[in-house]
Amino acid sequence: MSNNMLGLINLQIDHPLTELNEDRPLSAQPFAGKFRLIDFTLSGMVNAGIGNIGLLLSFHSRPILDHIRSAKDWNLARKGDGLFYLPGEIEDVIRPVEGDIRAYYKNLMFVERGLRRYLLLSTCDMVHNIDYDQVMHFHRRHNADVTLVYQKQKSAQDVPSHLLTVNERERVTELTPVDQTNPGDNQFLQTVLIDSDIFMKSVRFANAKGYTNFMNDIIGRNLNRLRVFGYEHDGYAARIQSIQSYFSANMDLLDYQNWRNIFKDDTRVYTKIKDEAPAKYMEESQVTNSLVANGCVIEGRVENSILFRKVRVGKNACIRNSIIMQHSVIGDDAQIDYVVCDKNAVIQPEAVLSGSPDQPLCIGKYAVK
Amino acid sequence: MKRTECLAMILAGGKGSRLGVLTETLAKPGVLFGGKYRIIDFPLSNCRHSGIDTVGILTQYQPLELNWYIGNGSSWDLDSDRGGTFVLPPYMGNSSSNWYQGTADAIYQNLNFIDMINPQYVLILSGDHIYNMDYSKMLAFHKKHNAGATIGAIRVPLSEASRFGIMTADDNMQVNKFEEKPENPRSDLASMGIYIFNKDLLKKYLMSDAALTDSQHDFGKNIIPAMLQEQIPLFAYPFEGYWKDVGTIDSLWQANMDLLADDPPLDLNNPDWRVYSGNQALPPHYVGPRGSAKGSLVGEGAAILGTVVRSVIFYGVTIEEGAKVTNSVIMPGTVIEHDVVIDKAIIGERCRVHAGTRIQNEDGSVFVEGNDTEMFPDDCHTAKGDEQA
């Protein structure tokens, strides 16, 4: 456990899944039956003993504030330390500035006052269970200035990212922005451990110079000057950037090994507590290869699907390859396949709806179909 | 600060010896129930929903796990500055220290605490029952009748009445007779062990009862009869709904099974009356490609790779492929390995039932195994339920 790290999560790097919900930031996107995307990064920090975490808020921050509130459910409602909301300013709306350096510059006070030797910088569009404590041990062992967390890709992905070239001594020699990744690539996992002093100095300098992009302009330009190392994460990780990557990352968790890998006993993923009863299976229910959250009541059939909290599945209804969010109701005899239902959706009795693996059918919040 | 109107005191020191191995290291109110709860979640959640924000919990027998679970009461939203949750174990006084001798003595020994809070009314609850009840309605009833004491009452089958404190009441529900566990009950109106007293009256009767050497210091046996004798207005508040004493292995098993009906008598999914409990931070449960659950409750973080029928599976349980669990209660963290067959059993926390084991009592009674046990195919797994009954 380490109390010499400060956490900073940038929620401004965000691309809502517009097919589902225009207003909801990706960080607040419901995921894996009861979580929101931010829970994974935030819980990872809490599990590593980081007690001082800043959230750089985007302008659609209502869903995040409603979700996290005092951060008590993450054990971050503390005296002195704890969770800090770092909101934007009206000026940023009137005169938007490209890139993320300006936002870090404006919030340097958080890092300065945090008085921690290291800063862990991350985004909230990632699903993983990275042990940040191990990252810090790696960082110290290499006497690094910066450690970038990456993963060797198993399959091609249509997700913009940075690729790392790492030499035999685990030092990063090249950092390349790309639009898509191929199998075998070292994909950057949006997680940077950096010495706080170096972070503050570089951000001040880069801001004065008019640089905009932290990864390209601060890390990429200084691979020769800074000791930058690459830490390979070998557990499950996925970056959510589109409805397709969202859908497939959810489905990944229907693999028992992935489910166990993300949801470990000693590093739990925390989320807002809802106090629902255990899931109820009726006599006629038939459920296979699925994730089912508390509060669900199931009478029908469910296959290869994810049911969020408080979903009702009617008699003889059949759900396949679908994601059904909180409080949705699937009517009797309805049949759905490759569908993503947002919160409180209602699928009427006997309705038949289907999408495809590449293009799941999206049903909006409170929609009735 | 505003005066506390009603203080709840929960009697949670009971040994629950008829629950056998399940209460070896745990007081009865801490016993697990319904896939995620403990018995004490019910009175605590009831308090929260009834607008009672100050709760004293009297512990005595094996209190460690219960104390750990209750903490500061935040899980039940009972940690506000205006009230709070107070765990009250027996303590050492100036001249003596005593274990709680009976229900009334336990409250008597905490009169200082009650004076400190200084409420108008004291609600006495037991930590042994499964039920959802709005105590604010009972308090309104108490006030409306200008009662000195009000007893929570429920109709029971006459054949079972001899297990309870039995009352007779007039049309206004004023109690005129109270008998603890009568041999020949003449009424079906049973005491639920829930009382509301005017605080000053309670204090007076507790102090005079404490001075008696031949008293058992029990509410049902001593305090209520003494009040009746002195013509204090006592009323019975009739409660309708599900109420179950889970004091024996059979009744605990049955209460769990009651939840599995398609339309259960106790609704755990009522959005206006959630039953709160300690939180585990576990993911939704997983059902494998060859897993199946029917007529069952399954908690978070469980992995159902085998077959589950009419059972309560707690959080964090693993049922491996090829295992079959029917009519059973499997408590948190237990692993049921492949090719295990279990019928009509309660298996404690963190057990491991090794591959090929068969568990079922031949005489049809409930098989019970305590926490942290390893079970192998060669052991005899048939008779334990009887020993504990």
Side-chain angles (χ1 to χ4, degrees), chain A residues 32-35 72 253-256 259-260 263 265 268-271 273-297 299 307 309-310 312, chain B residues 34-37 74-75 79 259-264 268-269 271 274-277 279-289 291-303 305 310 318:
Chain A
K34 73 180 275 201
F35 304 97
K72 184 179 168 195
L253 296 183
L254 297 181
D255 177 297
Y256 188 50
W259 182 75
R260 279 266 184 248
F263 302 115
D265 239 13
R268 298 194 173 183
V269 184
Y270 300 94
T271 191
I273 294 171
K274 289 274 175 70
D275 290 288
E276 299 293 349
K280 174 82 178 281
Y281 290 82
M282 304 294 212
E283 287 289 339
E284 300 296 312
S285 69
Q286 233 183 314
V287 180
T288 51
N289 209 44
S290 295
L291 285 188
V292 180
N294 272 0
C296 286
V297 178
E299 294 188 76
L307 305 188
R309 290 186 276 207
K310 257 191 151 9
R312 295 280 189 280
Chain B
K36 87 176 265 198
Y37 308 100
S74 64
S75 294
D79 59 338
L259 298 171
L260 304 180
D262 278 1
D263 188 13
L268 296 174
N269 281 314
R274 285 172 211 264
V275 183
Y276 298 126
S277 67
N279 190 271
Q280 308 300 327
L282 289 169
H285 72 261
Y286 175 78
V287 186
S292 152
K294 284 178 194 296
S296 296
L297 278 186
V298 181
E300 292 183 311
L305 309 173
R310 282 185 298 282
T318 303

Side-chain angles (χ1 to χ4, degrees), chain A residues 111-137:
Chain A
V111 182
E112 207 162 9
R113 283 193 183 165
L115 294 175
R116 300 296 199 282
R117 181 153 176 209
Y118 307 104
L119 173 71
L120 185 69
L121 182 64
S122 185
T123 58
C124 55
D125 50 359
M126 298 294 303
V127 178
H128 55 57
N129 196 336
I130 296 174
D131 186 341
Y132 296 125
D133 237 1
Q134 291 299 325
V135 179
M136 199 193 59
H137 288 309

Side-chain angles (χ1 to χ4, degrees), chain A residues 162-183:
Chain A
H162 285 86
L163 300 188
L164 273 59
T165 308
V166 182
N167 71 14
E168 70 288 350
R169 290 192 310 275
E170 300 181 301
R171 185 141 181 191
V172 177
T173 55
E174 254 181 275
L175 186 66
T176 325
V178 290
D179 289 334
Q180 57 187 51
T181 58
N182 295 310

Side-chain angles (χ1 to χ4, degrees), chain B residues 315-326:
Chain B
Y315 50 87
V317 165
T318 303
I319 314 271
E320 291 185 359
E321 257 183 57
K324 183 164 187 190
V325 177
T326 52

Side-chain angles (χ1 to χ4, degrees), chain A residues 26-27 29-33 35-42 44 122-130 132 149 151 153 157 187-191 233-241 245-253 258-259 261-263 269 291:
Chain A
L26 197 54
S27 49
Q29 182 65 34
F31 187 83
F35 304 97
R36 306 240 181 191
L37 278 182
I38 191 173
D39 294 339
F40 294 88
T41 303
L42 192 56
S122 185
T123 58
C124 55
D125 50 359
M126 298 294 303
V127 178
H128 55 57
N129 196 336
I130 296 174
Y132 296 125
V149 181
Q151 180 161 63
Q153 286 303 104
Q157 273 188 13
Q187 193 198 350
F188 171 57
L189 294 184
Q190 313 297 321
T191 305
H233 172 61
D234 54 7
Y236 180 86
R239 187 165 186 211
I240 312 296
Q241 293 266 296
S245 51
Y246 171 74
F247 188 77
S248 70
N250 269 291
M251 292 299 146
D252 282 347
L253 296 183
N258 285 340
W259 182 75
N261 195 282
I262 285 286
F263 302 115
V269 184
L291 285 188

